[in-house]
Amino acid sequence: MSIRYALIGCGRIAPNHLPSALACGMDVVALCDTNPAAIDVLLEGLNLPCLHVNRYSDYRTMLDSESLDMVAIATDSASHAEIAKYCLAQGVAVLVEKPMALSLSDADEMLALSQEHGVPLGVCQQNRFNDASLLVKKALDSGGFGKLSHVSVQVRWWRDAAYYAQDSWRGTWEKDGGALMNQCIHGLDLMRWFGGSEISTVSATLANRCHPYLEVEDVGIGFVQFTNGAIGSFEGTTNLYKKNLEERITLIGEKGTVVLGGECAQEIEVWEFSDPAIQALRNEIDHSVQSSVYGSSHSRVYADFKRALLTSVQPTVDGRCGRDALELVLAAYKSHVDKASVSLPLYDFGTLSMHL
């Protein structure tokens, strides 16, 4: 079966999407961006100027004109839900960038449309597919940690005025969200995945300390209580001076300790287990892997999504996983606004808007 694919949004993250679609044999039939020049920049930057694709500036026109099996959505965060809902309602499968939406009501509508029309909905939280992440999950599922004490995440990155000036939507409540929503949601997703997924309470505080020209937070710090008794802590910021420092994830259990580091938690810095079989798992992966801010697993996301399409199932990182990550960020925001711990499940937080 040939999978007819289109990419909506040809900006900053698009160079991770298009090669991944091509690498797993998808038939790339169309590219769409409200700025037609972005399509040229994307193709030239990937050395694909001769790739034959139809070009569109409006995704509705594209869907009316093309017979598509799936679209990937890599636009600004605020437009993810609107575009995804339109595509799902047309019976087209959707792989959407994080965050899948900016409200839980939109996320729930996306999930409902996916189920109603029988098409997959995936969220590009690709760091779950990194070798180091998969190895940690294998150790957890094998009982290697024993009782898990706590999981901590630190995302310590740098974003300057030039970054936010690239697009008018960046750093706004209406269309983006701050450091937790944009830069740190991958780390928060991993913390929830590793910690046991089910959370009872979230507490957090936010601030804008170094980006006075933005509406949103540039630092957020908080705590999570998992229903299994484990504790989670998180720190996310874009205030590092001059360059990214790290994304660090630490798991501590009664029988094992792991620290993942590097720019996006791809490098195993500590791997200590009492069980020799779990200790030996570390030899299963290539330790020379070089991290990047986007991780190295978009190709695996696409291969998994292709499997989902061909077998009529949901992808491994489906809309429910995307909603869980979004819920955690919104709970942190609500905790800051309410100045109190927030209980989960969280049903909605309305429109993002707050005063720091």
Side-chain angles (χ1 to χ4, degrees):
M1 171 185 171
S2 174
I3 296 174
R4 293 176 59 82
Y5 165 95
L7 175 62
I8 304 173
C10 296
R12 181 182 174 93
I13 193 62
N16 293 76
H17 282 268
L18 184 53
S20 298
L22 291 168
C24 71
M26 293 182 178
D27 182 12
V28 179
V29 298
L31 299 175
C32 178
D33 198 286
T34 53
N35 175 16
I39 297 176
D40 290 321
V41 171
L42 173 63
L43 293 176
E44 290 170 7
L46 294 172
N47 197 27
L48 295 170
C50 296
L51 182 68
H52 177 69
V53 292
N54 296 322
R55 302 177 179 214
Y56 296 90
S57 59
D58 183 90
Y59 67 90
R60 297 179 184 86
T61 301
M62 182 182 74
L63 263 72
D64 290 342
S65 305
E66 303 285 352
S67 176
L68 297 170
D69 297 304
M70 71 165 288
V71 299
I73 300 171
T75 57
D76 62 279
S77 298
S79 65
H80 288 174
E82 176 187 323
I83 298 171
K85 287 188 285 185
Y86 186 89
C87 295
L88 291 166
Q90 306 301 311
V92 177
V94 168
L95 174 62
V96 61
E97 263 296 333
K98 59 76 188 171
M100 65 183 294
L102 292 183
S103 73
L104 291 176
S105 58
D106 275 336
D108 288 337
E109 285 185 52
M110 292 161 68
L111 288 165
L113 285 166
S114 170
Q115 182 175 14
E116 177 184 349
H117 294 277
V119 290
L121 168 63
V123 182
C124 201
Q125 293 171 181
Q126 72 279 355
N127 287 359
R128 287 200 189 196
F129 287 96
N130 289 347
D131 286 339
S133 301
L134 293 171
L135 206 65
V136 168
K137 192 64 167 62
K138 187 174 182 178
L140 284 162
D141 292 344
S142 299
F145 285 89
K147 181 183 289 185
L148 188 64
S149 170
H150 57 284
V151 184
S152 68
V153 175
Q154 294 87 34
V155 182
R156 294 161 171 163
W157 286 354
W158 166 78
R159 295 291 184 271
D160 63 0
Y163 166 83
Y164 291 103
Q166 291 178 81
D167 299 286
S168 60
W169 56 268
R170 296 184 186 276
T172 65
W173 286 124
E174 181 183 4
K175 296 185 177 183
D176 190 16
L180 294 184
M181 182 71 83
N182 196 316
Q183 283 76 32
C184 304
I185 195 168
H186 287 299
L188 294 173
D189 173 54
L190 289 179
M191 182 186 73
R192 184 162 193 173
W193 191 43
F194 292 155
S197 183
E198 296 302 322
I199 292 172
S200 57
T201 60
V202 177
S203 58
T205 187
L206 315 174
N208 184 317
R209 298 292 295 164
C210 300
H211 298 78
Y213 45 86
L214 302 181
E215 300 174 358
V216 298
E217 90 279 3
D218 57 19
V219 57
I221 296 175
F223 298 92
V224 166
Q225 180 67 63
F226 289 96
T227 56
N228 62 14
I231 297 170
S233 67
F234 58 89
E235 169 198 344
T237 185
T238 54
N239 288 342
L240 270 290
Y241 173 65
K242 201 170 184 179
K243 63 181 181 180
N244 292 344
L245 176 61
E246 63 182 352
E247 179 175 358
R248 180 175 297 274
I249 301 178
T250 303
L251 296 92
I252 296 175
E254 60 180 343
K255 297 180 179 179
T257 300
V258 168
V259 178
L260 305 183
E263 198 170 8
C264 65
Q266 285 195 94
E267 301 171 14
I268 297 177
E269 296 184 356
V270 176
W271 185 271
E272 295 291 343
F273 288 92
S274 62
D275 185 338
I278 303 297
Q279 184 64 28
L281 290 178
R282 183 171 183 174
N283 298 324
E284 292 186 2
I285 69 171
D286 179 4
H287 303 296
S288 65
V289 63
Q290 296 298 308
S291 66
S292 75
V293 71
Y294 297 125
S296 58
S297 297
H298 278 84
S299 60
R300 293 177 178 177
V301 171
Y302 271 81
D304 182 75
F305 201 89
K306 180 179 180 179
R307 175 198 59 82
L309 277 170
L310 295 178
T311 57
S312 300
V313 298
Q314 288 292 338
T316 300
V317 186
D318 60 7
R320 179 60 56 182
C321 299
R323 189 193 188 281
D324 283 348
L326 175 64
E327 179 187 48
L328 178 50
V329 175
L330 292 179
Y333 284 172
K334 180 173 173 57
S335 174
H336 175 81
V337 171
D338 294 350
K339 300 188 185 310
S341 177
V342 172
S343 296
L344 268 59
L346 181 67
Y347 295 102
D348 208 0
F349 182 49
T351 302
L352 287 184
S353 180
M354 66 191 80
H355 296 288
L356 298 174

